[in-house]
Amino acid sequence: MDDKRAVISSHNHVLVFPLRVQGHINPMLQFSKRLASRGFRVTLITPTSSGNSMQMQEQEQDRSIKVETIYDGYNEGEKAATRDEFLDRMKATVPQSLAELIDKYRSTQWPVTCLIYDSLLPWLLDVAQSSGIHGAPFFTQSCAATVTYYHALHGSLKLPLEESSVVKLPSLPEMEFNDLPSFVQVPGSNPVIYDLVLNQLSNLDKAIWLLWNTFDALEDEVVNWISSKWPIKTIGPTIPSMFLDKRLEDDKDYSLSLFKPKSEACVKWLDSKEPGSVVYVSFGSLASLGEDQMAELAWGLKRSNYSFLWVVRESEEKKLPSDFIEDTSDTSLIVTWSPQLQVLAHRSTGCFVTHCGWNSTLEALSLGVPMVAMPQWTDQPTNAKFVADVWRVGVRVNVGDNGVVTKEEIERCIREVMEEGRGNEIRQNSEKWKELARKAVDEGGSSDKNIDEFLEELSSSVG
Ligand code: UDX
């Protein structure tokens, strides 16, 4: 989202606070760049526990956004034993560290005017307001998944559900049990994350803006439903316009990454392939497959007979079948992290086997890449439902009775998406959504207007 238009503000200073998860850092960083391009000063907050692993990649010297580290209860490099402990310690230490940071800037020419915070940390709104500045939550998941959390929180969706349940919630299509977020399917499966996702809806009545990484055309009914409750501003997709326009020769972006992408190797390998011939496979930054699922996926990819580029994070590498790498080395590239936007925007990429993390879903949809949806947990089943049945830009795998997707099923889905017939319809729909995504962020589009409105309202409220 690089924007060459007029500067709206020359005195606003916004702090941006994502949770230390790649799928939260990426959209919040891209949104920050958009603010910086309109004259806002932006400081991105990283907690001390991120240590040296959270590094700016590329164009270090040119970046427009400052990064500041604040104390979150851990010294650099020290890691929390559990998620629960991490969140508790953060809640105990961050309010003071953040208030001090806001104070530090108070007497400078860049006093902080707003805190844009990860919606999963709703208590940050109180920190902002008690420091006398604005606060705006930033949602890194779909509106649809959030509406299911709303009904779980307010009891209008009675949990636990039977596995045979079919649920009809306002503004959403009919959803089967397996289409609901994993924490709604089985609330007890991960109580810490269940509370985290539900609680993001608990402190919103005092917020003036809810910023959301989606766009109106994509989730129109759901966006309207949320608008009737809270002042939502859809601002997505937060993808730099050079990718949306495929002006890749201008690819001089920077990122804030917890992983080191194998950019050159990926692009060089993709350059050597035919247009639309490669299957790209990635399960994002968190999902972890069982060893048997990893083997089925590996052999399913081989059976499909397409070249594939597969991201297997370091922590997952040991699960690869031992004879597989040798067996497929001339048709495949396996890397520990890819420059995903570059990969999806590359002409050789024909389809994306994805866990349907919200960012991966939005990125593929915005770049017109058809998907094989293989959701794992959290909001991903709901995203997969929309990919397959609402936007119709991909197919969803069937899961076997033992919870594993077989190699035959993976092969079938890849072929369905890559080949003629259904594949043609999916490619046409993908092109349509790509165009609508671009329109939303182009000058005068729905997200573009919302961003301008937010910036103008913020500027006029601080004088
Ligand atoms: C999580 C959740 O899964 C998601 O649904 C939630 O709403 C946000 O956070 P994650 O599981 O990591 O994130 O997936 P995803 O949302 O797809 O985010 C991954 C990000 O990492 C994407 O922006 C993707 O472009 C990037 N990525 C992934 C890379 O740059 N390289 C890779 O090799 C893999």
Side-chain angles (χ1 to χ4, degrees), residues 26 140 285 311 337-338 340 355 357-360 363 379-380:
N26 287 0
T140 61
S285 64
V311 179
W337 194 252
S338 80
Q340 183 159 301
H355 69 316
W358 183 237
N359 296 287
S360 294
E363 289 163 6
D379 53 348
Q380 296 152 17

Side-chain angles (χ1 to χ4, degrees), residues 21-24 26-27 140-142 257 259 261 280-287 311-313 335-341 344 352 354-361 363 377-380 383:
V21 174
Q22 199 64 56
H24 293 227
N26 287 0
T140 61
Q141 77 233 357
S142 72
S257 190
F259 305 86
Y280 171 57
V281 189
S282 163
F283 286 78
S285 64
L286 299 168
V311 179
V312 180
R313 297 192 317 274
V335 294
T336 49
W337 194 252
S338 80
Q340 183 159 301
L341 285 168
L344 291 173
F352 182 13
T354 171
H355 69 316
C356 289
W358 183 237
N359 296 287
S360 294
T361 304
E363 289 163 6
W377 68 319
T378 175
D379 53 348
Q380 296 152 17
N383 302 338

Side-chain angles (χ1 to χ4, degrees), residues 159-357:
L159 302 182
L161 294 163
E162 299 284 319
E163 282 193 28
S164 55
S165 307
V166 176
V167 171
K168 179 73 189 95
L169 295 169
S171 78
L172 292 179
E174 210 166 67
M175 299 223 263
E176 292 181 9
F177 182 81
N178 288 332
D179 300 330
L180 292 161
S182 60
F183 309 121
V184 176
Q185 288 177 25
V186 189
S189 62
N190 195 329
V192 176
I193 305 212
Y194 180 71
D195 286 349
L196 197 66
V197 294
L198 258 57
N199 280 340
Q200 61 187 323
L201 297 169
S202 64
N203 197 20
L204 294 178
D205 290 341
K206 294 178 282 172
I208 311 180
W209 310 280
L210 275 61
L211 304 168
W212 220 294
N213 187 20
T214 186
F215 58 100
D216 288 356
L218 190 65
E219 296 196 273
D220 52 354
E221 279 185 57
V222 203
V223 170
N224 285 338
W225 191 86
I226 296 184
S227 302
S228 69
K229 309 229 161 296
W230 294 296
I232 168 175
K233 289 211 184 294
T234 53
I235 52 80
T238 55
I239 295 172
S241 54
M242 65 184 154
F243 290 106
L244 295 173
D245 294 350
K246 289 216 172 194
R247 283 186 281 115
L248 289 180
E249 67 278 14
D250 293 342
D251 178 14
K252 296 243 170 41
D253 200 22
Y254 59 84
S255 59
L256 189 59
S257 190
L258 300 168
F259 305 86
K260 196 152 181 44
K262 306 281 182 275
S263 305
E264 251 184 66
C266 289
V267 173
K268 201 167 152 214
W269 185 84
L270 284 168
D271 283 347
S272 72
K273 303 290 175 226
E274 293 296 311
S277 67
V278 169
V279 176
Y280 171 57
V281 189
S282 163
F283 286 78
S285 64
L286 299 168
S288 168
L289 301 186
E291 215 164 298
D292 39 358
Q293 183 61 86
M294 198 79 167
E296 291 296 319
L297 175 56
W299 298 121
L301 288 168
K302 178 169 162 65
R303 286 170 66 105
S304 79
N305 249 343
Y306 287 99
S307 299
F308 59 90
L309 168 51
W310 186 4
V311 179
V312 180
R313 297 192 317 274
E314 255 171 61
S315 54
E316 297 282 288
E317 273 178 322
K318 58 182 177 311
K319 298 180 194 165
L320 280 170
S322 50
D323 44 347
F324 173 72
I325 299 183
E326 217 173 285
D327 208 14
T328 54
S329 57
D330 45 342
T331 52
S332 72
L333 179 67
I334 300 180
V335 294
T336 49
W337 194 252
S338 80
Q340 183 159 301
L341 285 168
Q342 272 174 281
V343 171
L344 291 173
H346 198 286
R347 62 179 165 73
S348 300
T349 304
C351 99
F352 182 13
V353 178
T354 171
H355 69 316
C356 289

